[in-house]
Amino acid sequence: IEEALREEVQKEVYDKGKNWEDVLVEKSKESEETVLKMLAESVDLVYRESLVGCFVPEEFQKAVNVSLARKRKVVGIEVSGDIIKVATSSPFNFQAFDEISGLLGKDIEPIIAPQKEVENLISRAYQKAEGEFDSVMDDFTVDNLTSVIKEIEGTEDLTDIANKPPI
């Protein structure tokens, strides 16, 4: 990058708390893919144009909820021993990597991918999990719920029990 552009981007990042990738796309007038490819090359990381065909490891889904994955713009794509590869459009988001590493107890290997690809994979992975929840909920019928409600109504409230004098 040209020196003037680098300084302008650096100022935005440090003064306004924006991330490098977004500012570079905005200031350089290049596409997100071009900027991400350039970043991947400059820091010797893998760039994946598409995450179609990738599957999110169950271990990642259990440890990282959907809102955290979306907020941090990361999604696990492969586990190999003590390392998990995570796709991200924010390769300098070290706070996210530390957080995910702590939750999984594994080292993080970032794989750079377009933000839309990361978002789509998160949606596909967690939508499947939500579908499983829906199937469990479908097992409940009105009769099942009515019997559960009657059972609950027949019990004493915990605060009532706590306020009774000792025997």
Side-chain angles (χ1 to χ4, degrees):
I1 345 178
E2 298 168 12
E3 184 65 25
L5 176 60
R6 188 186 63 72
E7 288 177 9
E8 193 177 344
V9 168
Q10 194 171 11
K11 183 171 174 39
E12 288 273 322
V13 169
Y14 293 127
D15 292 351
K16 297 182 181 174
K18 295 182 177 181
N19 71 37
W20 285 93
E21 306 79 29
D22 292 342
V23 177
L24 274 170
V25 169
E26 179 186 319
K27 299 288 183 186
S28 70
K29 307 293 189 236
E30 296 289 341
S31 70
E32 177 195 27
E33 279 117 17
T34 302
V35 168
L36 290 177
K37 282 178 189 176
M38 178 190 70
L39 288 173
E41 195 174 294
S42 70
V43 294
D44 200 28
L45 290 176
V46 173
Y47 174 80
R48 283 200 186 169
E49 193 170 306
S50 172
L51 296 177
V52 172
C54 290
F55 297 96
V56 178
E58 188 176 329
E59 183 178 357
F60 184 89
Q61 287 182 345
K62 285 182 178 178
V64 180
N65 66 44
V66 66
S67 61
L68 180 60
R70 287 190 199 285
K71 177 181 173 187
R72 297 298 191 191
K73 300 177 187 177
V74 296
V75 63
I77 58 172
E78 185 182 323
V79 176
S80 180
D82 289 342
I83 297 172
I84 182 160
K85 292 181 181 180
V86 294
T88 183
S89 60
S90 299
F92 301 123
N93 190 348
F94 302 115
Q95 183 179 2
F97 301 148
D98 287 345
E99 189 171 6
I100 302 300
S101 177
L103 290 170
L104 292 165
K106 296 188 178 296
D107 292 330
I108 302 294
E109 182 180 323
I111 305 293
I112 301 176
Q115 184 172 338
K116 198 70 176 159
E117 290 293 315
V118 173
E119 290 171 356
N120 287 342
L121 184 55
I122 291 169
S123 294
R124 287 194 314 268
Y126 289 94
Q127 184 176 22
K128 179 182 174 242
E130 288 172 8
E132 292 169 2
F133 173 77
D134 291 342
S135 71
V136 168
M137 291 306 291
D138 288 343
D139 291 341
F140 282 106
T141 63
V142 173
D143 294 334
N144 289 349
L145 292 175
T146 304
S147 67
V148 169
I149 291 170
K150 284 181 182 175
E151 225 177 283
I152 292 171
E153 288 173 346
T155 60
E156 284 188 82
D157 189 308
L158 191 56
T159 55
D160 292 338
I161 295 169
N163 291 330
K164 283 185 176 180
I167 300 177

